Amino acid sequence: MESPGAVGEGELEVMYFTSLSEFMNYLDNQVKTLEDNVNLIEKNIAQLEPRLAGFQSLLGVIKKLVGRENILLTPAIEITGLKIVIDPNPIDEYDTLKESLDAMKDKLTVLRKVRELIRVLVTTAKLDVPVLVQMRAGVPIKVLIGVSR
């Protein structure tokens, strides 16, 4: 396998594999890594939830005391599109983890479906030809089988 090369829009990549089997192995590794990361984030969220509940209760009391609904608790600095939050509160942490977890689960679902399709091709076609795969954000969107190199 060769390293991906950026094509066009920045989020598109192209990867070459020597065979469908090599591509399937790559997908197996991607799925395993993503599953491990999802499990870790789910554990982090579970550990964070008691702190989050307490913080939300406290925040509700503070909002009533000051008479305002919008209270800026954690200042964020944005530099060239990167948001930096120093000493985040539990809401910031939970929202970041939950948003990422949902996106990772969606990606995992798609990768599993692609992997199963490739597994069927590997077991039935038994082709040993080079494969070019176009990906968007790490998800295969096009597979060219039998490409010249």
Side-chain angles (χ1 to χ4, degrees):
M1 172 184 67
E2 293 180 15
S3 61
V7 202
E9 300 174 27
E11 64 178 284
L12 286 178
E13 298 176 310
V14 171
M15 296 184 76
Y16 286 95
F17 298 90
T18 58
S19 65
L20 282 171
S21 295
E22 183 186 18
F23 178 42
M24 190 176 70
N25 290 338
Y26 169 82
L27 290 171
D28 286 340
N29 290 334
Q30 292 299 104
V31 166
K32 174 73 172 112
T33 299
L34 202 48
E35 286 171 341
D36 291 346
N37 289 337
V38 163
N39 290 335
L40 179 63
I41 291 173
E42 287 174 336
K43 287 177 186 173
N44 289 344
I45 287 174
Q47 291 173 347
L48 179 63
E49 284 174 340
R51 271 187 40 222
L52 176 65
F55 186 81
Q56 287 174 323
S57 293
L58 179 61
L59 185 58
V61 170
I62 291 171
K63 285 179 181 180
K64 284 181 185 177
L65 289 173
V66 297
R68 287 191 323 190
E69 201 50 42
N70 295 332
I71 299 174
L72 180 62
L73 297 174
T74 306
I77 302 165
E78 191 165 327
I79 303 171
T80 64
L82 177 65
K83 189 174 184 178
I84 301 171
V85 180
I86 298 169
D87 195 21
N89 65 55
I91 295 172
D92 293 330
E93 194 173 343
Y94 178 84
D95 289 348
T96 300
L97 289 172
K98 184 70 172 118
E99 180 182 354
S100 297
L101 179 63
D102 292 344
M104 291 168 71
K105 283 182 173 181
D106 290 344
K107 182 177 178 179
L108 189 55
T109 299
V110 173
L111 285 176
R112 285 176 176 153
K113 287 178 182 178
V114 170
R115 180 181 63 178
E116 288 313 306
L117 174 64
I118 297 303
R119 187 177 316 280
V120 169
L121 290 174
V122 166
T123 57
T124 58
K126 300 190 188 315
L127 293 172
D128 190 24
V129 294
V131 178
L132 181 144
V133 180
Q134 185 180 40
M135 298 193 193
R136 174 169 282 132
V139 175
I141 58 171
K142 189 184 293 184
V143 177
L144 305 178
I145 300 170
V147 297
S148 58
R149 302 249 324 205

